[in-house]
Amino acid sequence: MGRLAVAAAVAAWAIPIAALVDSIVPDPYMDEIFHVPQAQHYCRGDFLTWDPMITTPPGLYYISLAYLASLFPGAWAIKAAEAFDPLCTTALLRSTNVIMAMVCGVLVHDLLLRIKPGIGKTKATAYAILVALYPVHWFFTFLYYTDVASLAAVLAMYLSCLKKRFWVSALFGALSILFRQTNVIWMIFFAANGAIEYVQDLPLGDCLSDENSELTDKSRTKESDRDNKVSALGLRRRRANHPISKRGVVSGSTKLHTSFTEELFDFAFKLWNSKCKVLITFAPFAIVLVVFVAFIIWNGGIVLGAKEAHVVSPHFAQLLYFGLVSATAFLPWHFTPGRVSDLFYWCRKNKTFSSLAMLTALGLSFVAVHLFSIAHPYLLADNRHYTFYIWRKVIQAHWMMKYILIPLYVYSWFSVINILGKSQPRVWVVSFVFSVALVLVPAPLVEFRYYTIPLVILVLNSPVIGHGKLLVLGSAYVAVDLFTLAMFLFRPFHWGHETGTQRFMW
């Protein structure tokens, strides 16, 4: 069991299903009508033509060119570009994501072994296969969209950062931004937490080295030097005995004895006193970030095309939707009697804090739903998506429904945060929530595809569950996958005034 098993398992279903999809839906569909022709321009060597309806950078097209060149090296070598152009069929371009799905599975496997060293290869393999079956990710394996390749680049960036290969991680960060601009948020998230991890691993003397270097001027007297050494030694002892000098996380019923502000102070202290090393080590991420900011200024915004349909909006309800979707997608972690009991016990143990947090969360959620719940025109008009039916049949079924769901939103987020707090420091948890908000809140359109990356990061950092629960969840994923595929392939229908055949999708 291991990487090869994961890749083989993904290939075993992805290749035949991709062939089935290509045989029944051979022409570009939905957003493929933009992506496929654009990739074909690149195949012809035309890198200057750009479809103004495409909102994301050309990373997917570059990856497809490299992939097709590896399949047909002779055609690429002789390349009369006209000879290479016929190879860029819809089917072959779609197969890029089949390869990327296999890469995603292997990366999830390796990340689990890195984050949870005791998980074992067998369980890591099972988890990786489960993630590969996650319905939204699984479905877009067979279409020419940016989502699967974007996830692969983000996971590669995450793994490289955990291995402390920061230059490599920054390169994958730049690549991930070429697939989807919001991946810059995940690059900053990984880099920031990587910097905290980096200074945590430094000896305390190294953390103080910058401060001490200012006190070693040759003009100082020997007595002054001696006093400084004594002061530094005392500071080292105090810091070593400080409860937050040892990295602590919430584990089981164990509770951190330090406040969140003390934890922040500890990290800030170490980062500041190791600032030179941190700046040099994490400079690659800063370079990518500077280039990205320059791009936004030059482009006049974060999206490339169709800017009028992707205006940044304060869509705070989107954050609530993510909480419920993520908790539902990983139901064995969040909606079980044991999980409810754990949260109830935590609330009883921390009555004052939990009551205040609950009331605050309910109040903010009510404001978000009432004032910042956006119905994008695409959501209201396109009946080829699950979100269209969820919005109309659930959220808009009655005017009270969107308020009735608020307790579920709050419970889901409390469960997510509580679970993450068992394996990660509070700074990591807060920065994760903040990153999710930065990615989702500005997006006016409700799209489950936008949730995939934070969902995978969430499952990578959640406690390990048993084989039985994994099997049940995997079976549920397979059932949803097959139902969606059947709807997509065998239930064509007419949409609006168009005469062409439409198909159902996520």
Side-chain angles (χ1 to χ4, degrees):
M1 303 293 281
R3 298 174 181 174
L4 185 60
V6 173
V10 174
W13 72 66
I15 293 175
I17 292 177
L20 178 64
V21 170
D22 292 332
S23 65
I24 298 177
V25 190
D27 299 321
Y29 178 73
M30 288 288 288
D31 287 1
E32 286 186 324
I33 64 174
F34 310 118
H35 293 307
V36 170
Q38 186 62 51
Q40 290 170 342
H41 280 298
Y42 279 41
C43 288
R44 290 192 291 271
D46 179 7
F47 294 95
L48 298 179
T49 300
W50 184 260
D51 189 328
M53 292 301 295
I54 297 175
T55 62
T56 52
L60 180 62
Y61 318 132
Y62 292 137
I63 291 292
S64 295
L65 281 180
Y67 164 62
L68 292 173
S70 69
L71 291 178
F72 305 99
W76 181 260
I78 59 173
K79 194 183 152 210
E82 301 81 25
F84 194 67
D85 181 33
L87 302 175
C88 290
T89 62
T90 301
L92 274 177
L93 289 171
R94 286 173 176 171
S95 67
T96 305
N97 279 333
V98 173
I99 302 301
M100 288 294 103
M102 295 166 63
V103 171
C104 285
V106 171
L107 288 170
V108 169
H109 172 271
D110 288 359
L111 277 163
L112 284 166
L113 292 178
R114 173 67 57 168
I115 297 169
K116 308 174 187 298
I119 191 173
K121 288 188 176 182
T122 301
K123 183 64 75 71
T125 301
Y127 262 76
I129 293 173
L130 178 74
V131 171
L133 287 169
Y134 170 61
V136 180
H137 171 67
W138 183 88
F139 181 81
F140 287 99
T141 297
F142 311 111
L143 294 177
Y144 195 58
Y145 276 58
T146 61
D147 301 88
V148 180
S150 173
L151 176 62
V154 169
L155 294 178
M157 172 173 53
Y158 191 13
L159 182 61
S160 300
C161 192
L162 291 177
K163 290 182 176 180
K164 295 182 170 53
R165 297 173 182 172
F166 300 120
W167 278 96
V168 176
S169 182
L171 286 173
F172 279 120
L175 178 62
S176 72
I177 295 169
L178 286 177
F179 292 119
R180 183 164 290 163
Q181 298 92 313
T182 52
N183 287 339
V184 71
I185 302 299
W186 299 116
M187 185 191 74
I188 296 170
F189 171 72
F190 296 142
N193 285 283
I196 291 172
E197 181 76 19
Y198 177 77
V199 297
Q200 288 292 91
D201 292 339
L202 286 176
L204 188 58
D206 289 351
C207 291
L208 298 172
S209 59
D210 291 344
E211 185 178 277
N212 288 343
S213 65
E214 299 174 2
L215 303 175
T216 56
D217 190 277
K218 292 183 179 180
S219 64
R220 302 283 185 181
T221 62
K222 291 182 179 179
E223 184 171 343
S224 178
D225 288 338
R226 185 166 59 251
D227 291 343
N228 288 332
K229 290 177 183 176
V230 170
S231 298
L233 180 60
L235 180 57
R236 286 191 186 96
R237 287 172 178 167
R238 286 196 300 273
R239 298 299 300 175
N241 292 327
H242 199 284
I244 52 179
S245 65
K246 300 176 183 178
R247 185 181 180 188
V249 297
V250 180
S251 178
S253 61
T254 303
K255 180 182 176 182
L256 282 173
H257 298 289
T258 58
S259 69
F260 180 59
T261 54
E262 286 179 313
E263 188 175 304
L264 280 176
F265 173 80
D266 182 59
F267 291 145
F269 175 86
K270 291 180 177 178
L271 285 169
W272 175 254
N273 287 288
S274 304
K275 54 186 176 292
C276 291
K277 288 186 177 181
V278 171
L279 288 173
I280 292 170
T281 304
F282 290 85
F285 297 103
I287 294 171
V288 176
L289 183 59
V290 168
V291 173
F292 180 75
V293 171
F295 159 77
I296 291 178
I297 296 172
W298 169 81
N299 185 57
I302 193 170
V303 298
L304 270 73
K307 294 180 180 180
E308 66 285 349
H310 296 83
V311 177
V312 173
S313 308
H315 195 180
F316 290 101
Q318 183 96 271
L319 193 62
L320 302 179
Y321 304 151
F322 169 79
L324 182 56
V325 169
S326 61
T328 304
F330 302 120
L331 190 141
W333 279 277
H334 302 284
F335 289 104
T336 62
R339 179 92 280 264
V340 174
S341 176
D342 284 347
L343 285 178
F344 181 73
Y345 174 76
W346 177 81
C347 290
R348 285 190 59 190
K349 194 174 181 181
N350 306 274
K351 286 184 180 179
T352 304
F353 174 78
S354 62
S355 299
L356 181 62
M358 188 73 70
L359 289 173
T360 302
L362 288 170
L364 291 176
S365 298
F366 178 85
V367 172
V369 167
H370 187 69
L371 298 178
F372 301 101
S373 183
I374 298 174
H376 194 279
Y378 290 177
L379 174 66
L380 299 175
D382 199 337
N383 60 355
R384 294 169 291 182
H385 293 79
Y386 278 137
T387 49
F388 173 87
Y389 297 97
I390 292 173
W391 185 265
R392 292 192 62 184
K393 303 296 184 182
V394 179
I395 295 178
Q396 287 193 327
H398 189 272
W399 71 269
M400 281 290 293
M401 182 57 68
K402 63 180 181 180
Y403 302 109
I404 292 172
L405 291 172
I406 287 176
L408 272 178
Y409 297 146
V410 172
Y411 170 84
S412 299
W413 264 113
F414 266 70
S415 181
V416 166
I417 291 171
N418 181 262
I419 278 180
L420 288 177
K422 293 182 178 181
S423 59
Q424 294 291 349
R426 286 173 292 191
V427 171
W428 192 100
V429 177
V430 171
S431 62
F432 173 77
V433 175
F434 188 61
S435 298
V436 174
L438 286 176
V439 170
L440 296 182
V441 169
L445 180 62
V446 179
E447 266 278 18
F448 290 159
R449 294 186 295 125
Y450 301 161
Y451 302 168
T452 301
I453 290 175
L455 273 171
V456 174
I457 295 173
L458 177 60
V459 76
L460 287 171
N461 291 279
S462 296
V464 178
I465 60 175
H467 289 288
K469 289 183 177 179
L470 278 176
L471 182 61
V472 171
L473 188 57
S475 301
Y477 282 0
V478 170
V480 174
D481 292 340
L482 294 178
F483 173 79
T484 304
L485 184 67
M487 291 289 289
F488 177 68
L489 295 179
F490 306 120
R491 289 292 301 274
F493 57 92
H494 294 289
W495 178 50
H497 63 276
E498 294 185 7
T499 57
T501 297
Q502 306 299 320
R503 297 177 187 279
F504 189 82
M505 66 180 298
W506 276 104

